[in-house]
Amino acid sequence: MSERAAPAGPGALAPWLATIAAYVVPLGFVLAPMALFLVYSFFSVDHGSIVFSPTISNYVRFFTDPVFLPIFWRTCLLCFTVALLCVLFAFPVAYFLTTLRGRSRYMLLVLLLVPLLMSYVIKIYAVRSILGGNGMLNRALLATGLIDKPSMLFVFNLNAVLLTLTVLLIPFAVLPIFLSLERIPKALRHASADLGATNAQTFWRVTVPLSLPGTLSAMSFVFVLAIGDFLTPQMVGGQSGFTFGRIIYSQFGTAFNWPFGAALSVILAAVVILAIRLGGRLESKHGGAK
């Protein structure tokens, strides 16, 4: 007589539930909203009401209107500059951390990452209080006699957006560069020194090439974070610091043109995906070159 199969217990269902959750969460919270935005981008608005008829007028408007495309390219250039500055400032910090030994290395790394736990709005207000007309920077320049009246060079314009985003996003660049530098075997540096290379030659010919995957990862990560930010330009950009993110925000808010905002969001998502793919391809290329 054959034995009856034992009923499946909670332990047997756990792998199935984990597998379902692994697919349901990305589908429900990532792919489904993106698909909804894509569908909405082919609708239009007529007198405040959404017309559910397929049209490509939103994309035609983006490419033909003289306002949107220049702001889009200017935002891309701004975010690329932010990513480049973050890497330039983060690399020396990450390299310094790798020269430390023991717990001090990771304690300092944690201290550098502490600002990520703070409120984003509070950090923006802190930077604005430094760069403002009556901020610490202007007070210091006035005290030293370098200027005779408060300068508005770094407040309510693209310069303010550039500096604020750079300050806020530097910690996101430090971590991947630090991890990339930490994985470089010390034996390679010792071998370079044994072959007669100076410290500068070892740095430029060994350390920098081998750290390129982490550097490129940091650049793509910061670029994606910067190009999707609308709060920072809203708070420190003013009228002359208008970015593509603020346009998207205005379409869903004051303009109440959700289809056009969805079309702009799809275009922005395409740029983000392209930046991630490009960064991943460059990382794998330089990583394989090791």
Side-chain angles (χ1 to χ4, degrees), residues 104-169:
S104 58
R105 170 190 297 188
Y106 300 103
M107 288 179 62
L108 286 178
L109 179 63
V110 170
L111 289 177
L112 286 173
L113 299 181
V114 163
L116 299 180
L117 304 176
M118 298 172 56
S119 170
Y120 198 73
V121 176
I122 292 177
K123 290 187 290 186
I124 294 176
Y125 272 115
V127 176
R128 195 169 76 170
S129 66
I130 296 174
L131 302 177
N134 197 31
M136 293 174 56
L137 180 60
N138 270 313
R139 290 183 179 182
L141 294 176
L142 287 171
T144 55
L146 294 177
I147 57 175
D148 54 359
K149 62 180 181 178
S151 174
M152 304 302 290
L153 182 62
F154 299 115
V155 62
F156 299 125
N157 50 39
L158 280 180
N159 294 329
V161 178
L162 174 67
L163 287 176
T164 305
L165 284 175
T166 301
V167 171
L168 296 180
L169 298 179

Side-chain angles (χ1 to χ4, degrees), residues 17-49:
L17 294 176
T19 303
I20 293 174
Y23 284 97
V24 168
V25 172
L27 286 174
F29 293 96
V30 179
L31 294 181
M34 291 181 66
L36 186 62
F37 269 85
L38 181 62
V39 172
Y40 254 81
S41 68
F42 292 102
F43 298 150
S44 60
V45 171
D46 185 19
H47 296 90
S49 300

